[in-house]
Each structure stands twice: as structure tokens, then as C-alpha cells.
């Protein structure tokens, strides 16, 4: 007969995770707008991929997720993972990253800090219409756009949103010449600046800015 005593313990990683341990916070915010669901999906994929790569790291976990009115915060067990995540998010979605730290405690004479990585996403989303350097452009990605008047690529430097993608109207081309296209829509027939070649009967997106209408072929806009 052998007497066995069972002692139940929690590993250090699980203990930390269950106790809400964290060394860094990644704050996701968007400049002057709400964070889009597509952007949140990109953020989640970035986090998942990095945690998989860091699976041997005992601090590779998210201890808490807090949804706030202004955005969402992710609490990470390791400060370096928070740094990696925030940098990858900026690479994928654009924007700016601000890093700061705050003294948390002292252990064995060493200062222990908690880090905050504030990610500020751009004011625009892909598909928004922006004004940049006097040009009206379709935002196509991180710091990238297409000028509406020439459909040529541009680098966005100081974009200002003039129309959200959900605010664009749709219509059908009924007539056109070299510069102007007539578009039949729910608001009636409007004359708009033509962007690219069009055909009668073709569907276009259009919007008004500074008392002028601009029309973008659907195939061009959705291909951006």
C-alpha cells in the first residue's frame, strides 16, 4: 500500500493570467471617428499571430480587454509583446504610436514600470474621400490614395476627410462628354466631374464637395 498525497497547483503563467497580471497596455483609438469592425479584425489577427510566435514566453497572454467609448484597450503580460503588437498594428493600418511608461513598484531595488502603447489610427478608412494637398482623393490604404480627377496614385500626408465611404451616393451614367458626366440618381440628374472613362448605363459612385459633384466609376472605386 502506497499513500499518495495530491497537491493541486497552477503554473506560473496561468496564475499570472488569472490574477490579471500585466506589464503593458495597447490602447487603440481612431482620430475623430469610431474604430471600424474591419480594423478590429486586423488588430485581433495581429495579436493572435504574435502570441502564437511567442508561445514559449511565459508572459505571452492577454490578461484583460476593456472596451471604452473612445476605443479598446488590450492588457498584455509582457511589455515587449505589447510593443510588438502596437508596431504591427501601425504597419497594417497606419497611424501613429506613442509609447510611455509609469513606475509601478520596486523589487529588490529595481524600478518596475508598466508601459502604455497608444495607437492612434488615421482619421480616414479605406474608401473614404479625403482632401490632401489640394487634391481630392480616395483613401486606398496606409498613407496611400488615388486622386479623383486623374485616378493617379498619391501619397497622403495631411488628409482631411470630406466624405465617409457610407455617405457616397450611387447612380447611373445617362450622358457624358470629355469632362462632365450626367448621373441619374434618387436626387435627380446631376452633372459631375468625370473620373476615368465611363459608358452610358454604367453605375458610378458620386459625392458633392465645395458645390461640385464628382463621379467615380463603380469598377474603379471598388477596385481600389
Amino acid at each position: 500500500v502506497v499513500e499518495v498525497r495530491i497537491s493541486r497547483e497552477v503554473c506560473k503563467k496561468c496564475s499570472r493570467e488569472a490574477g490579471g497580471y500585466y506589464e503593458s497596455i495597447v490602447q487603440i483609438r481612431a482620430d475623430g471617428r469610431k474604430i471600424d469592425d474591419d480594423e478590429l479584425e486586423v488588430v485581433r489577427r495581429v495579436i493572435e499571430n504574435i502570441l502564437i510566435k511567442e508561445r514559449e514566453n511565459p508572459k505571452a497572454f492577454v490578461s484583460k480587454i476593456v472596451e471604452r467609448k473612445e476605443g479598446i484597450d488590450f492588457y498584455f503580460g509582457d511589455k515587449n509583446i505589447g510593443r510588438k503588437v502596437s508596431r504591427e498594428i501601425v504597419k497594417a493600418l497606419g497611424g501613429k504610436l506613442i509609447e510611455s511608461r509609469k513606475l509601478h513598484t520596486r523589487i529588490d531595488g529595481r524600478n518596475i514600470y508598466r508601459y502604455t502603447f497608444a495607437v492612434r489610427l488615421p482619421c480616414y478608412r479605406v474608401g473614404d474621400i479625403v482632401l490632401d494637398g489640394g487634391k481630392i482623393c480616395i483613401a486606398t490604404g496606409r498613407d496611400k490614395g488615388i486622386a479623383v480627377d486623374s485616378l493617379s496614385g498619391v501619397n497622403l500626408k495631411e488628409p482631411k476627410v470630406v466624405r465617409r465611404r457610407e455617405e457616397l451616393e450611387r447612380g447611373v451614367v445617362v450622358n457624358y462628354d470629355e469632362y462632365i458626366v450626367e448621373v441619374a440618381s434618387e436626387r435627380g440628374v446631376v452633372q459631375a466631374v468625370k473620373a476615368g472613362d465611363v459608358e452610358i448605363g454604367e453605375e458610378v459612385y458620386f459625392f458633392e464637395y465645395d458645390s461640385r459633384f464628382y463621379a467615380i466609376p463603380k469598377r474603379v472605386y471598388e477596385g481600389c
Side-chain angles (χ1 to χ4, degrees):
V1 177
V2 177
E3 181 179 326
V4 177
R5 294 183 181 180
I6 299 176
S7 176
R8 301 185 183 276
E9 295 183 355
V10 179
C11 72
K12 195 170 184 179
K13 177 179 180 180
C14 293
S15 177
R16 283 173 170 169
E17 188 172 355
Y21 177 89
Y22 70 94
E23 293 182 0
S24 63
I25 307 172
V26 176
Q27 299 177 333
I28 312 296
R29 304 290 186 269
D31 190 6
R33 62 177 178 84
K34 291 183 178 181
I35 301 172
D36 193 61
D37 289 342
D38 293 342
E39 293 171 323
L40 284 177
E41 183 58 32
V42 171
V43 170
R44 293 188 179 100
R45 285 202 303 268
V46 167
I47 292 173
E48 182 180 352
N49 291 337
I50 289 178
L51 291 181
I52 290 173
K53 292 178 181 178
E54 295 281 343
R55 56 183 173 271
E56 300 300 324
N57 184 342
K59 297 180 183 178
F61 57 82
V62 178
S63 58
K64 185 168 59 173
I65 300 174
V66 179
E67 294 186 12
R68 305 184 185 279
K69 182 180 179 180
E70 62 274 17
I72 186 167
D73 296 344
F74 294 88
Y75 290 69
F76 291 93
D78 189 301
K79 65 178 182 296
N80 291 321
I81 289 180
R83 182 177 289 113
K84 289 178 181 179
V85 165
S86 58
R87 288 177 177 176
E88 286 300 314
I89 291 172
V90 171
K91 283 182 181 179
L93 298 174
K96 298 178 181 179
L97 171 61
I98 299 175
E99 178 179 334
S100 61
R101 68 178 186 176
K102 184 178 181 181
L103 181 63
H104 173 56
T105 187
R106 286 178 62 86
I107 298 178
D108 298 330
R110 296 184 298 110
N111 291 335
I112 305 300
Y113 295 92
R114 280 179 171 168
Y115 291 74
T116 299
F117 302 98
V119 176
R120 174 72 81 173
L121 300 181
C123 61
Y124 61 85
R125 301 165 300 168
V126 171
D128 286 344
I129 306 298
V130 300
L131 181 67
D132 186 81
K135 290 185 176 181
I136 299 176
C137 309
I138 309 167
T140 59
R142 181 192 175 193
D143 303 328
K144 299 292 184 181
I146 294 178
V148 167
D149 58 352
S150 62
L151 298 183
S152 57
V154 295
N155 293 321
L156 301 177
K157 297 179 180 178
E158 296 183 355
K160 175 185 176 183
V161 176
V162 297
R163 283 292 179 274
R164 294 294 182 189
R165 61 191 184 194
E166 60 269 19
E167 296 175 335
L168 300 183
E169 300 179 65
R170 296 169 74 166
V172 175
V173 176
V174 294
N175 199 7
Y176 66 90
D177 61 20
E178 187 177 357
Y179 304 104
I180 300 296
V181 57
E182 291 185 347
V183 179
S185 66
E186 292 182 355
R187 69 160 67 199
V189 177
V190 299
Q191 292 187 335
V193 176
K194 187 176 68 171
D197 296 331
V198 296
E199 297 179 359
I200 292 177
E202 183 175 4
E203 192 172 1
V204 296
Y205 288 92
F206 71 95
F207 62 95
E208 184 179 7
Y209 174 71
D210 198 20
S211 300
R212 298 182 71 182
F213 286 95
Y214 297 82
I216 309 166
K218 178 182 177 181
R219 53 184 165 75
V220 172
Y221 178 80
E222 295 185 351
C224 291

